[in-house]
Amino acid sequence: MLHRNMGTATTLQLGLDDLLADLRYARRGRDLGRLALLAYCEVRRWARDAGESELAAHSSAMVLGAPEVDRDAFLHHIDGLICELEQVQPKFNAHPLAGSDPRAPYGSAAQAPVASQASSAGAVSGVEYR
């Protein structure tokens, strides 16, 4: 239901953010099976949805092409795929509110620190905080 209410750009942006997080996590753990699955299935699907045909072809060729000689060569290709996704990311992160502070809604002043809120609340209510 949530996906029906979101715009296509937002869906692509969130999908890319999730995909990059999954790739980075699997890369840190050197989980080759998970990386192959993400590269072939998830990156290719996302790239097709986003209209990034070169990225889809590259992710497909990584898995279906000639097998890598060793783990390090495959991980090197995964690093390249992650870099490609990071280069495409700014295209999909162009959101009207990008760059604004999510903690300060509608340009309001910053919130007072918690300690000053507690002391001012104590002064008003007559309760002493220790």
Side-chain angles (χ1 to χ4, degrees), residues 8-51:
T8 304
T10 303
T11 303
L12 289 173
Q13 173 190 353
L14 294 174
L16 179 57
D17 292 344
D18 288 344
L19 186 55
L20 278 168
D22 285 344
L23 281 167
R24 289 175 183 140
Y25 182 78
R27 173 62 178 95
R28 274 193 307 270
R30 298 176 62 97
D31 186 351
L32 299 183
R34 179 79 178 145
L35 287 168
L37 173 76
L38 288 170
Y40 183 70
C41 296
E42 299 299 322
V43 172
R44 191 169 56 109
R45 181 198 53 80
W46 181 88
R48 286 180 177 171
D49 290 346

Side-chain angles (χ1 to χ4, degrees), residues 34-109:
R34 179 79 178 145
L35 287 168
L37 173 76
L38 288 170
Y40 183 70
C41 296
E42 299 299 322
V43 172
R44 191 169 56 109
R45 181 198 53 80
W46 181 88
R48 286 180 177 171
D49 290 346
E52 297 289 329
S53 58
E54 286 184 32
L55 187 58
H58 180 236
S59 68
S60 180
M62 277 183 58
V63 177
L64 297 179
E68 298 299 333
V69 177
D70 60 1
R71 295 171 69 95
D72 292 330
F74 180 72
L75 291 173
H76 180 72
H77 283 277
I78 290 293
D79 291 340
L81 186 63
I82 291 172
C83 286
E84 285 183 61
L85 287 167
E86 288 171 343
Q87 290 172 356
V88 170
Q89 193 173 23
K91 235 189 328 189
F92 296 97
N93 282 344
H95 192 274
L97 297 177
S100 66
D101 186 5
R103 293 169 287 163
Y106 308 110
S108 64

